[in-house]
Amino acid sequence: MKKRTGDQAFGLFSVAPAIVLVFGIVLLPLIQTLLYSVQDRNLTSSGSGEFVGLSNYASVLGNPDVWSAFGRTAYFAAVSIVAELLLGTMIALLLNEKFAGVRFLRSVIILPWAVPTIVNGAMWKWIYHPEYGALNALLTQLHLIDAYRPWLSSPWTAMNMVILADVWKMTPFVAIFILASLQLTNKSVYEAANIDGAGLLRRFAVLTLPYLKSTFLFLIVMRTMETFKVFDLIFVLTQGGPANGTMVVNYMTYIKAFTSLQFSEGATLSYLIAAFIALLTFAYVKGFGTGEAKT
């Protein structure tokens, strides 16, 4: 009995630093942010922290700029995720084949994802430079455009250029996960289907896609959470401009809290983002299901 008590005490003592760390870094800020969202903590007004209930949520949800930011974020997320899944699947299928140099390609394909997001944004800002950017030089030499263009000067173009930078960085991440799943498939099933005369597209549709269902679900959920929290690329490339064309909801939260000093609105937006991501995740799981494909 004494030994069991001693083991329990030693176990609690061992995990105590982790508990303190989690509480200090994760739980305490979450609780503090929740309190801010139901208080008047806007330093630009006369608010002194009094309890206001859900009025901050009503104010934020009634703001058309917030809904516009959510719409831009949804567009960014949808286009990025679809492009990354399509390109990542094609790359994974290629790297799943046997040919000279495939191991080297599997090693270097992850390099864009390994680049820090801030560095990635700075690199693409130089690529998009209107006077001596690499993109203008390439397209001009290929005779696809007649003159250099300022790629980040119009709202629609700027948003798509940010998406391009995100797709370049995150497609290898998607490809590696899909490739790992493909490596675990039952090769004999594909050999039998090939003998039966099933074509490449039919084998992909009937055998590969169902097997990758759970991997796609995981990637969609992960990338949805990340794209709705996008900040680094926006901060480096456009800072929400031009004309709020790239003002996504997470960057708006930053502006509200740390530039406008409207802490209550920033905290409210943070919890609304979290709630929206949770609802999307639930919808994904219900829509895709969680059953494993049979091979």
Side-chain angles (χ1 to χ4, degrees):
M1 185 67 182
K2 291 182 178 180
K3 183 179 179 180
R4 181 179 298 179
T5 304
D7 291 342
Q8 291 176 348
F10 177 76
L12 290 175
F13 179 77
S14 299
V15 301
I19 294 175
V20 173
L21 193 64
V22 169
F23 180 78
I25 296 180
V26 179
L27 296 180
L28 188 60
L30 283 175
I31 295 172
Q32 190 66 57
T33 304
L34 179 61
L35 291 176
Y36 277 6
S37 70
V38 294
Q39 295 175 344
D40 185 2
R41 288 283 183 177
N42 297 327
L43 299 187
T44 55
S45 65
S46 59
S48 58
E50 61 270 18
F51 179 78
V52 295
L54 299 178
S55 62
N56 287 325
Y57 289 89
S59 175
V60 168
L61 291 175
N63 187 348
D65 292 336
V66 172
W67 288 106
S68 298
F70 265 104
R72 285 187 287 268
T73 308
Y75 174 79
F76 174 86
V79 177
S80 295
I81 293 171
V82 170
E84 289 159 12
L85 285 177
L86 289 176
L87 293 174
T89 302
M90 289 189 290
I91 293 172
L93 290 172
L94 174 64
L95 296 180
N96 194 44
E97 300 297 324
K98 294 180 180 180
F99 57 89
V102 66
R103 292 187 177 181
F104 174 75
L105 290 177
R106 289 174 183 174
S107 301
V108 301
I109 190 64
I110 201 65
L111 290 180
W113 176 74
V115 175
T117 308
I118 289 292
V119 177
N120 178 51
M123 179 187 70
W124 280 96
K125 190 169 186 177
W126 283 106
I127 292 174
Y128 294 147
H129 197 280
E131 296 179 4
Y132 39 83
L135 181 61
N136 275 320
L138 175 64
L139 295 180
T140 302
Q141 292 177 6
L142 294 176
H143 303 289
L144 296 177
I145 59 175
D146 297 328
Y148 280 25
R149 298 180 182 179
W151 298 103
L152 302 177
S153 64
S154 66
W156 176 255
T157 305
M159 174 59 80
N160 288 288
M161 292 299 103
V162 174
I163 291 174
L164 176 60
D166 182 72
V167 169
W168 180 85
K169 176 177 171 57
M170 297 308 302
T171 294
F173 172 83
V174 174
I176 289 299
F177 269 88
I178 296 175
L179 177 61
S181 296
L182 291 174
Q183 293 286 299
L184 298 175
T185 56
N186 190 345
K187 304 297 182 182
S188 61
V189 176
Y190 287 86
E191 294 173 358
N194 190 29
I195 294 174
D196 290 340
L200 180 64
L201 293 178
R202 181 166 179 80
R203 293 199 304 269
F204 177 76
V206 176
L207 298 177
T208 305
L209 275 182
Y211 188 85
L212 295 177
K213 183 179 179 181
S214 58
T215 303
F216 284 153
L217 174 61
F218 168 78
L219 289 170
I220 290 173
V221 171
M222 286 290 295
R223 292 298 297 134
T224 298
M225 290 189 291
E226 292 176 354
T227 51
F228 266 84
K229 296 186 299 180
V230 62
F231 172 82
D232 314 59
L233 277 178
I234 302 296
F235 181 80
V236 176
L237 284 173
T238 62
Q239 295 187 342
N244 289 338
T246 58
M247 181 63 72
V248 293
V249 67
N250 202 35
Y251 193 78
M252 175 179 281
T253 303
Y254 164 78
I255 293 295
K256 291 286 187 182
F258 299 106
T259 301
S260 303
L261 300 180
Q262 297 174 338
F263 295 132
S264 293
E265 291 191 22
T268 303
L269 274 172
S270 298
Y271 267 89
L272 288 175
I273 294 172
F276 189 75
I277 292 174
L279 289 174
L280 277 180
T281 302
F282 177 77
Y284 287 152
V285 174
K286 293 292 289 184
F288 280 84
T290 56
E292 295 290 339
K294 296 181 180 180
T295 57

